[in-house]
Amino acid sequence: MTTATLPAEAPAGADAPMKTPSIARLVRVELRKMTDTRAGFWLLLVTLLLALAGLILTVAFAPDEDRDLKSLFRTTMDLTSLLASVLAILVVTSEWSQRTALSTFTLVPKRERVITAKALAVVVFALVISINCLLLGVIGTVFSSGPDKWSLSLGEFATGTLLQTLGMLGAFAIGLALMSSAPAIVLAYTLPIVFAILAETIPGFRDTADWLDTTAPGEALWTDAGDGTAWAQLATAWGIWLGIPLAIGLARLRRVELA
């Protein structure tokens, strides 16, 4: 007597190719990772409290001419930018500090696709921060007094949002280049200070520094968004400070061993 063995049926969908997650889904994942971790939660909370404290102090003690919507919006934006850069760094360096790079790049083998999603999440987060700062500014302006207190144009809001986005992307690029949280945070905060000192102390470097400094043209654009020279300097400076770290980071990303 012989026994016939029936072939085992393959599970349904076993031969179907694995579907690659869309960029939109990856961005949602990265946004969630920015907010549902302990570090992300406390950074967000401290950033909100810092902006709120600055708003209250400005409304309570600043002169009338500094309590209009434009001034309050800029105050909250400047304060939130102090810690928003840290969040932008952590979104990329956490893959190595938390040892999640292996699982992340195994699920999505195209590493550049993951980095693109992280960068887009940073842009979305910068926009959310700008809208929240606008809302805080509106609340503060309601309790302010003085002529023309609602003086904030759409162009000025867009300029502030752009500067916030570029600042966070610059920190993100440094984090990608170094792939380590601590040195990236230190470099992101100290590099502008060192550059400003060199520009003031080295004779003849000031004119060149105007095209390499990201702070000076941003300051000019707050007062005159139509200045073509300031826009050209901003584009040149950020083209360098974003392009070089991103190129270094992407080159390292292709070669780094996952563990």
Side-chain angles (χ1 to χ4, degrees):
M1 179 177 178
T2 59
T3 303
T5 304
L6 296 177
E9 293 185 359
D15 296 333
M18 181 179 295
K19 186 178 180 181
T20 303
S22 65
I23 284 291
R25 183 176 182 181
L26 292 177
V27 171
R28 290 196 299 268
V29 170
E30 296 300 331
L31 285 171
R32 189 177 71 240
K33 288 163 66 175
M34 292 173 72
T35 56
D36 65 0
T37 62
R38 184 177 301 175
F41 169 79
W42 283 107
L43 271 174
L44 290 174
L45 180 61
V46 172
T47 301
L48 176 62
L49 293 177
L50 186 63
L52 187 59
L55 179 72
I56 293 173
L57 292 175
T58 303
V59 172
F61 299 105
D64 289 342
E65 59 270 18
D66 293 333
R67 290 192 290 171
D68 59 349
L69 179 57
K70 178 180 178 179
S71 299
L72 295 177
F73 173 67
R74 182 177 180 183
T75 297
T76 53
M77 288 285 281
D78 289 342
L79 291 173
T80 53
S81 66
L82 295 175
L83 294 179
S85 297
V86 177
L87 195 60
I89 290 172
L90 292 180
V91 73
V92 62
T93 57
S94 62
E95 296 290 353
W96 287 270
S97 62
Q98 302 297 325
R99 299 185 181 279
T100 57
L102 178 60
S103 57
T104 297
F105 295 119
T106 299
L107 293 172
V108 186
K110 294 183 179 179
R111 302 182 183 185
E112 291 82 0
R113 189 178 180 87
V114 176
I115 297 303
T116 300
K118 290 179 181 292
L120 290 175
V122 170
V123 172
V124 171
F125 207 83
L127 179 60
V128 171
I129 289 176
S130 300
I131 293 174
N132 285 329
C133 288
L134 178 62
L135 294 177
L136 287 175
V138 169
I139 295 173
T141 307
V142 171
F143 297 97
S144 302
S145 60
D148 197 22
K149 64 179 183 179
W150 299 102
S151 58
L152 178 69
S153 66
L154 180 61
E156 289 168 337
F157 171 76
T159 299
T161 303
L162 175 64
L163 295 176
Q164 181 77 276
T165 304
L166 289 175
M168 292 186 68
L169 286 176
F172 173 85
I174 293 175
L176 178 62
L178 297 180
M179 296 183 181
S180 180
S181 302
I185 293 172
V186 171
L187 190 61
Y189 282 99
T190 58
L191 197 57
I193 299 174
V194 172
F195 185 82
I197 294 174
L198 292 176
E200 294 296 331
T201 55
I202 299 178
F205 184 54
R206 180 68 268 174
D207 292 339
T208 303
D210 289 339
W211 294 87
L212 301 176
D213 185 12
T214 60
T215 305
E219 188 73 21
L221 290 175
W222 273 111
T223 57
D224 183 11
D227 187 356
T229 302
W231 281 111
Q233 291 175 342
L234 187 75
T236 303
W238 277 115
I240 294 173
W241 292 110
L242 275 176
I244 294 176
L246 279 176
I248 295 173
L250 291 175
R252 290 193 63 194
L253 183 69
R254 297 187 186 99
R255 296 175 174 83
V256 67
E257 295 291 337
L258 302 180

